[in-house]
Amino acid sequence: MNGDIGLWAVPLAMLGGAIRVSTPFLFVSLGEVITERSGRINLGLEGTLVFGAMAGYALAYLTGSAWVGVLAAALAGSVFGLIHGLLCSLPKVNDIAIGIALMLLGTGLAFFFGKPYIQPVAPDLPAIDLGWWSDLPQVQAALKVNVLFIAGAVLAVALAWMLKKTRIGLTLRVVGDSSDAARALGISPSKVRILATAFGGALAGIGGAYLSLFYPGSWNEGISSGQGLIAVALVIFARWSPVWCFFAALLFGAAGALGPALQSIGITSGYYLSYAAPFVLTLIVLILSSSKSGALTGAPRELSITK
Amino acid sequence: MTGPVRDMRAWLVPLAGRVEGLILPVAALLTGFAVFGLFLLLLGKNPVEFYQLVYKAGFGTAFSWTNTLSRAAPLLFAALCVAIPARLGLVVIGGEGAIVLGGVMTGGLAAALAGWPALIAMPLLALMAAATGGVWIGLVGALRQWRGVNETIASLLMAYIAIALMNHLVEGPLRDPASLNKPSTAPLAETLRVGDLPGWNVHWGLAVGVVCCILAWVLIERTTLGFSARIAGGNVRAAQVQGLPVGKLVIGFTALGGACAGLAGYFEVSAVHGSANASLAAGYGYTGILVAFLARHNPLAIIPVALLLAGFEASSGLVQRRMDLPDATMLVLQGFVFVAILASETFTGRINLIGWLTKGDRT
């Protein structure tokens, strides 16, 4: 058997694509779940993702270590999150608008500092071959799974456990559901929200580093067109549950892989249209999961997006 | 409190509100410039040289004014796309999508109208571009009204969809085979091109944009419709109790904003590029968001603010060359200014102008 598996190539390429493409969605959405559970929304994660991709790539190139790149991206992301968190704790400052501004600033800074790194080649993140049991090169390619994907899956379960069973999780949920109740318990809502937003930013940064260090695996200005934004919308679909984020990320990854998968079997017409697939899917999901009253089931009550 | 002081307060309070509405954004703008200056300083560049170059290339000569004014036209429309729905408290930020689709509609339809008399074809093209943008952003309002979908996220997602749609149409069904390196629709017939304002080197889009800003201001500030929109934006329940058609207002105002953005696309194609292609997605929609926020969603204030930011964009090329800066420099500057503007909201109502002015009169 050497490769001609006909139309099976499409679902296989989509599975492989889903695993490859979903990781940034997974990280951004997990970070945003924590942020939103605390009652704040950070729309700026798209900018954080792009800046994380640039910072991760630059540091990986300069140090020769992909993991240093991931760390740098996480650090840069947490700084963006911290800025968002701090600004939004000022009275009368709107978190959605600040998110838009930071989206612009993050992208701008990434392009500004990223210019010199478009040419050089940085080391890649390692991948694990989970397809060793098969002789089919397509299967092997599809199951070449990056370490970060596995880390993201583990993190999803860990965060779900954290939210449900730990004191930190309880604090987060109280703050997200009622600032007054939190204050009555002696918790400072704005402190919790600042930390939660910084954590969300750090994860979005890692999601960016995955883009530049593994798939597609190089830094350029078009590296993320809206993936951070899709991930933010995906949180609504996942009903603020980290485990659901994992499955939602896979679904959106598959949608993102549709175009390249079709192209691999020679269908090229409508190639540009296939770029729209994940956005159309996100919009449909948003429409279906919203409700006329504006109330979203499972949403933290302090979340400005539901008010 | 004595009589004369109370009389003074009667006109001081609204005046103080106005002064604050002017001082705050200006102070925030200057803060943004200062922070960006610091950023340049840290990179070993001279901020004074930067701002001097911006002034020279954006506003210094007749030639630079021409450049600035043509860039201001799309910004006026794009900012209206944010400011008009903002009257209802909606944050619509996907104007880029309506610009792009308005442009594609113009480029695609122009081929079919080639033989028509310009007097009919040109207004028809503009109308169709506006309608395209209006339907696109009106859909955002409808989704908000009927399904409670957040308008900020929906409009941004739709902007990405619109750009994919444009690429598909321009690369495929609408592509002019003669456009080799840069896939475009067939160029507009000479008769359908929008010319320059008489005696100026700037196309008509600028004048239409200014008129649209004035009309939008009248609509928002001087009509019952605009007043109703403000009530509906402030308190939906109160508006419903008053019997105001909230749904129609939401869809109408978003559609109107979208129509303005569609017009931006029309002028970009008919007066600047000559055909629809990927350069339609030049980011005017995003700069327009900043313009609207800086102008505090006041359509009249949009005019000077759009000029200022257009001047910055016009100077971008010269600044890059002279100071060896990357092309994203203006994006960074816009980011800093935007953050400063939003952060300054925290001071609204906290600058005690009246207390300061009437100091000593208190008993």
Side-chain angles (χ1 to χ4, degrees), chain A residues 6 31 37 47-48 52 72 84 99 106 135 168 184 197 205 212 253 266 275-276 281 289 301 305:
Chain A
R37 275 295 182 105
T48 311
H84 186 282
D135 322 314
I168 303 174
T197 318
S212 58
Y275 275 122
L281 181 68
S289 56
R301 259 164 291 178
I305 199 166

Side-chain angles (χ1 to χ4, degrees), chain A residues 209-227:
Chain A
Y210 174 90
L211 281 178
S212 58
L213 293 175
F214 185 71
Y215 185 78
S218 65
W219 156 254
N220 65 69
E221 297 187 350
I223 195 157
S224 161
S225 49
Q227 288 173 52

Side-chain angles (χ1 to χ4, degrees), chain A residues 43 87 90-92 97-98 100-101 108-109 111-113 115 225-226 229 272-273 276 279 287-288 290-292 305, chain B residues 39 43 93 146-148 150 152-153 160-161 164 167-168 171 326-329 331-332 338-339 342 346 348 350:
Chain A
L43 271 186
L87 287 177
L90 298 170
K92 289 185 194 161
I98 284 282
I100 300 166
L109 286 173
F111 292 177
F112 188 95
F113 289 114
K115 261 270 128 67
S225 49
L229 178 76
Y272 284 94
L273 222 46
F279 298 101
I287 295 169
L288 293 179
S290 301
S291 80
K292 202 177 171 192
I305 199 166
Chain B
F39 171 79
L43 294 173
I93 58 172
W146 294 331
R147 291 292 312 175
N150 178 271
T152 313
I153 297 180
Y160 286 106
I161 296 172
N167 281 326
H168 172 72
E171 296 267 350
D327 51 2
T329 306
L331 206 56
V332 177
F338 207 160
V339 173
L342 293 171
T346 193
T348 41
R350 281 216 260 170

Side-chain angles (χ1 to χ4, degrees), chain A residues 174-184 187 189 193 302:
Chain A
V174 170
V175 169
D177 270 336
S178 164
S179 300
D180 292 338
R183 270 188 219 102
I187 306 166
R193 288 187 185 133
E302 293 282 333

Side-chain angles (χ1 to χ4, degrees), chain B residues 295-361:
Chain B
R296 298 196 140 199
H297 305 305
N298 176 339
L300 286 187
I302 283 176
I303 301 170
V305 175
L307 273 181
L308 182 71
L309 286 191
F312 272 84
E313 298 216 323
S315 65
S316 171
L318 183 76
V319 170
Q320 280 171 47
R321 282 192 306 276
R322 288 282 182 82
M323 296 186 68
D324 190 27
L325 287 167
D327 51 2
T329 306
M330 290 304 162
L331 206 56
V332 177
L333 173 66
Q334 286 178 7
F336 279 128
V337 169
F338 207 160
V339 173
I341 289 290
L342 293 171
S344 79
E345 292 283 328
T346 193
F347 293 109
T348 41
R350 281 216 260 170
I351 306 173
N352 194 354
L353 276 173
I354 303 159
W356 181 70
L357 283 171
T358 56
K359 201 161 44 184
D361 289 334

